[in-house]
Amino acid sequence: MFYFLIILIAVILMIVAIQKYDMHPFIVMTVISILVGLACGIPPEKVIATVKKGFGGIMGNIGIVILCGTIIGTILEKTGAALTMANTILGLVGEKRSVLTMAITGYVTGIPVFCDSGFVILSPISRALAFRSKTSLAVMATALSGGLYATHCLVPPTPGPIAMAGTLDADLGLTILVGLIISIPATLAAYIYAMKVSSKIDIPANPEYTVEELVEKYGHLPGALHSFAPILLPIILITLKSIGDFPSAPLGQGAVKAFFSFIGNPVVALILGVFIAMTLIPGSEKKNTLKWITEGVSNSAAILAITGAGGSFGAIIQLLPIAEALSNSLLGLGVGVFLPFLIAALLKCAMGASTVAMITTSAMIAPMMGTLGLTSPLGRVLAIMAIGAGSMTVSHANDSYFWVVSQFSDMTTSQAYKCQTGMTGVMGITTIIVVYIVSMLAL
């Protein structure tokens, strides 16, 4: 009980420091990690060593992946590839389904791009399509926000899910595959919410550019396959590696498996994605290549810092005998995937930051995986999905994404509560129901 009290106080201190005093999560989580270790009687030298090891360990696993994902997202924005992706999906689903187009575009773009950045990148396209289809901007913005949010919270290489995969020792390829599937009903929930609820709010599109003007602004846009390649190729390679690692050895045990094990390593796959993204840069802009990559690296700094601090916090927590203390009380409750969901949802509601909620919850859940019955490869992935579901429940006024969506969509605060907060609540509940059903059928 003593350890739970310490952790509860630590989480409350984190919330107050981040929320009320606007302190950076990196500083807060690092200091709290040290204080928790000392309060639990761990020798000071071991506390510092564990904090350093936790930070370095998580950076070693995902630091390069986060950097590469951010660089890819920056280049997609700068080259107009994001616009090509939207237009391609629009052509597939039809102009009458422009709202679904934005949801799908968000779903795809949210895989390598932070949802806040993705919304800013795609906001002009959202306005242009709303204007063209005579649809309220509230509807288009809600669908786009939901699509981005689904893969942001559930699919690596977005920082939160990839950090959880590292913390919970989950197979990354399987996490991507399951995340892509689980995020489909989440995106559909956002789409339906946009059509049924946000449609009651009329916000004029007032686009700065029409779709045609956007094309003219960017000039010669890259082709569809070329635009999607930096996102899709790494995902395919990582998935093939995961398939090759199956116990049935579908790729054999020889050179083919070794090749895909190397090229499908997330670090190698994402580096290849960066080089493919660089080929999107037209000759007239080649002089900006270094500038754009540097911008991507700079944009990843805060993400890396928070992720590393989360690794430190997780390393300290894993030294505590939480699993033993919980085993007797939890075994008979059958909480399964609901416990990680509830913890993440409480942290998300309180702190606002989905990534922090994911990293913190996964660190707290890691010692409990055996007690929760989630130690199989699929069980670990479903734990990640449950935490992701909680981390999207709900986006409100203490969440930067709430303000990005509202400000870039001309919403009043009350309209944003109806559109963004309501939608993310529905998404989270829908996702945990799907995760629970899968856990009942597959575990």
Side-chain angles (χ1 to χ4, degrees):
M1 190 64 188
F2 171 73
Y3 296 115
F4 297 120
L5 180 61
I6 293 295
I7 293 173
L8 177 62
I9 293 172
V11 171
I12 292 173
L13 287 175
M14 263 195 269
I15 292 169
V16 171
I18 295 171
Q19 176 64 24
K20 186 175 181 180
Y21 294 102
D22 294 324
M23 295 183 68
H24 196 281
F26 165 69
I27 298 294
V28 173
M29 295 176 74
T30 303
V31 172
I32 291 293
S33 299
I34 295 171
L35 293 178
V36 167
L38 294 174
C40 291
I42 302 172
E45 295 82 3
K46 188 172 183 180
V47 169
I48 299 302
T50 303
V51 167
K52 291 161 61 178
K53 183 178 179 181
F55 189 98
I58 202 75
M59 284 295 99
N61 284 329
I62 64 171
I64 295 175
V65 175
I66 291 175
L67 281 161
C68 291
T70 312
I71 292 169
I72 291 170
T74 302
I75 295 175
L76 290 179
E77 173 192 0
K78 300 295 186 181
T79 59
L83 177 57
T84 295
M85 291 159 62
N87 285 338
T88 301
I89 299 171
L90 182 64
L92 292 173
V93 302
E95 191 165 318
K96 292 182 179 179
R97 299 186 182 90
S98 56
V99 179
L100 182 59
T101 295
M102 288 315 303
I104 296 173
T105 303
Y107 171 94
V108 174
T109 307
I111 295 169
V113 181
F114 231 62
C115 58
D116 304 60
S117 303
F119 196 90
V120 173
I121 293 167
L122 297 173
S123 182
I125 303 171
S126 175
R127 285 183 182 272
L129 290 182
F131 180 79
R132 173 188 276 189
S133 60
K134 297 179 175 59
T135 304
S136 169
L137 184 58
V139 178
M140 206 68 74
T142 301
L144 172 59
S145 171
L148 286 162
Y149 211 39
T151 47
H152 172 85
C153 293
L154 298 172
V155 184
T158 305
I162 202 169
M164 290 192 289
T167 300
L168 299 180
D169 196 25
D171 180 87
L172 191 55
L174 186 61
T175 304
I176 291 173
L177 180 61
V178 174
L180 287 170
I181 295 170
I182 297 292
S183 56
I184 291 173
T187 302
L188 289 176
Y191 167 70
I192 293 170
Y193 187 93
M195 297 297 290
K196 299 295 183 181
V197 179
S198 298
S199 59
K200 298 176 182 177
I201 299 173
D202 184 26
I203 300 177
N206 295 327
E208 183 179 356
Y209 303 98
T210 65
V211 172
E212 291 77 13
E213 288 169 338
L214 280 172
V215 174
E216 184 178 348
K217 175 189 175 186
Y218 281 117
H220 177 69
L221 295 179
L225 183 60
H226 198 181
S227 297
F228 280 101
I231 297 175
L232 295 182
L233 182 63
I235 292 173
I236 292 170
L237 293 177
I238 293 170
T239 302
L240 285 173
K241 177 187 182 300
S242 180
I243 292 172
D245 290 338
F246 284 173
S248 58
L251 300 181
Q253 298 291 346
V256 174
K257 181 181 184 298
F259 173 77
F260 282 108
S261 291
F262 173 75
I263 202 170
N265 183 286
V267 171
V268 178
L270 266 293
I271 289 175
L272 289 174
V274 169
F275 279 103
I276 293 172
M278 289 170 63
T279 65
L280 289 165
I281 302 173
S284 59
E285 297 289 346
K286 287 293 183 183
K287 61 182 182 295
N288 289 320
T289 300
L290 178 60
K291 176 183 175 182
W292 292 351
I293 292 176
T294 302
E295 183 177 331
V297 172
S298 300
N299 290 342
S300 69
I303 302 168
L304 290 168
I306 294 171
T307 302
S312 297
F313 185 63
I316 290 292
I317 287 179
Q318 289 183 36
L319 291 179
L320 309 179
I322 295 176
E324 292 85 344
L326 279 178
S327 58
N328 292 331
S329 58
L330 290 181
L331 278 174
L333 295 180
V335 290
V337 295
F338 285 106
L339 182 63
F341 168 78
L342 290 172
I343 293 174
L346 288 171
L347 289 174
K348 167 63 180 176
C349 288
M351 290 194 293
S354 294
T355 301
V356 175
M358 284 185 258
I359 293 170
T360 305
T361 305
S362 61
M364 296 174 70
I365 288 296
M368 311 178 196
M369 295 292 283
T371 303
L372 297 172
L374 299 173
T375 54
S376 68
L378 181 59
R380 293 180 183 279
V381 171
L382 291 179
I384 292 171
M385 297 299 110
I387 297 171
S391 72
M392 64 174 70
T393 315
V394 293
S395 172
H396 60 97
N398 64 352
D399 180 9
S400 62
Y401 190 45
F402 175 89
W403 296 109
V404 167
V405 173
S406 63
Q407 295 303 305
F408 278 83
S409 307
D410 301 339
M411 293 180 185
T412 64
T413 302
S414 61
Q415 288 173 336
Y417 271 115
K418 291 177 183 177
C419 295
Q420 176 71 0
T421 305
M423 178 266 294
T424 53
V426 170
M427 286 180 68
I429 293 170
T430 299
T431 303
I432 190 57
I433 290 173
V434 173
V435 172
Y436 175 71
I437 292 171
V438 173
S439 71
M440 293 298 292
L441 295 174
L443 294 182

